[in-house]
Amino acid sequence: MALLEVQDIQVYYGMIQALKGVSFSVNEGEVIALIGANGAGKTTTLHTVTGLLRAKSGHIIYDGQDITKVPPHKIVTMGMAHVPEGRRVFANMTVLQNLKMGAFTRSDKNEIDATIEKVYKRFPRLKERQNQTAGTLSGGEQQMLAMGRALMSQPKIILMDEPSMGLSPIFVNEIFDIIKEVSESGTTVLLVEQNAKKALSIADRAYVLETGRITLEGKASDLLHDESVQKAYLGE
């Protein structure tokens, strides 16, 4: 059963067409990778799904509902979380305050506290630094905080935009381990990632985006061994 279905979306920035009829689906429980070069339209796709950009045509069906015209704050309450590119943590707030911001759609304080404990279990470093301001964390720790904050809304699906960007190799491995764990604990993941090799190694299926069009799709393990993908994205 598709949790998210993107049907033929077309998106423009002024006169420039960024997405030229993009269609894909994400089934419940899957990790789906969206890979492609810089400027292929990956971030635009995520922004359109989460309501930050409006599609000129096409439909976005989430959990059986058409959300093409639903505003972003409403989409969050429907169980969709977005970890944006560049992390976007609240730099002047503490780690704990950032996490609480992620739970703004929820009201039960005890349940929120229980989720915070769960996040700390998954990210022990955040617990150690809970009273530190987010701006003083390293890049990898900020990425963990951005992921932890997204998990605070108890989403059905989490959209991640370039989670490994700018991180040291050690942190990259750690972040991908966490994405796998998040998926195994029952959250569906849509992952946009330039590190194609890493993304394909943890995804179930993948789509290749080139200049606003999906040019290839399939099982991630097949794409990992596809010659054209290797040449274009895996540096082989």
Side-chain angles (χ1 to χ4, degrees):
M1 165 77 187
L3 178 61
L4 176 67
E5 256 183 283
V6 173
Q7 301 169 344
D8 197 24
I9 55 171
Q10 313 225 9
V11 176
Y12 287 79
Y13 291 110
M15 300 295 288
I16 297 161
Q17 189 168 6
L19 298 182
K20 302 163 185 167
V22 166
S23 301
F24 63 90
S25 65
V26 181
N27 297 321
E28 216 161 313
E30 281 188 310
V31 177
I32 297 295
L34 207 51
I35 63 172
N38 252 337
K42 305 187 300 293
T43 295
T44 302
T45 301
L46 289 196
H47 283 176
T48 309
V49 170
T50 54
L52 295 170
L53 281 173
R54 275 285 157 88
K56 190 161 188 182
S57 62
H59 291 278
I60 297 158
I61 311 294
Y62 167 66
D63 210 7
Q65 289 186 58
D66 191 326
I67 61 164
T68 318
K69 293 188 165 70
V70 175
H73 66 276
K74 282 254 172 62
I75 291 175
V76 176
T77 64
M78 295 167 79
M80 186 184 289
H82 183 194
V83 181
E85 187 182 353
R87 317 193 240 289
R88 302 272 196 278
V89 295
F90 301 107
N92 300 324
M93 294 165 89
T94 65
V95 166
L96 181 57
Q97 287 167 332
N98 266 274
L99 291 177
K100 285 183 172 167
M101 288 295 280
F104 78 95
T105 58
R106 301 168 60 193
S107 52
D108 186 318
K109 194 183 169 312
N110 293 339
E111 279 183 21
I112 291 170
D113 288 344
T115 309
I116 287 173
E117 284 314 310
K118 266 193 200 153
V119 169
Y120 282 159
K121 212 172 185 167
R122 185 166 276 145
F123 305 98
R125 253 196 224 101
L126 296 183
K127 183 166 190 161
E128 288 163 23
R129 295 174 173 39
Q130 58 183 331
N131 299 316
Q132 222 171 296
T133 53
T136 62
L137 302 177
S138 73
E141 289 161 352
Q142 287 189 12
Q143 185 61 55
M144 289 176 182
L145 179 55
M147 287 164 80
R149 183 178 62 190
L151 290 170
M152 286 299 298
S153 64
Q154 292 185 309
K156 281 184 203 163
I157 183 169
I158 191 163
L159 281 60
M160 299 192 192
D161 196 354
E162 304 285 7
S164 78
M165 192 187 260
L167 300 186
S168 67
I170 291 174
F171 263 128
V172 170
N173 289 336
E174 208 169 324
I175 291 295
F176 276 96
D177 286 345
I178 291 161
I179 295 170
K180 236 176 134 163
E181 274 172 38
V182 165
S183 151
E184 282 162 5
S185 68
T187 306
T188 305
V189 178
L190 174 58
L191 174 66
V192 157
E193 181 54 72
Q194 267 198 311
N195 188 333
K197 194 173 238 168
K198 273 286 188 205
L200 292 174
S201 71
I202 67 160
D204 297 296
R205 293 186 300 116
Y207 295 85
V208 177
L209 202 56
E210 278 178 45
T211 55
R213 282 193 175 86
I214 285 176
T215 54
L216 209 56
E217 60 181 273
K219 276 171 62 179
S221 51
D222 293 345
L223 292 184
L224 198 51
H225 300 110
D226 182 287
E227 236 174 89
S228 62
V229 172
Q230 286 186 343
K231 270 206 187 90
Y233 306 109
L234 306 178
E236 285 170 19

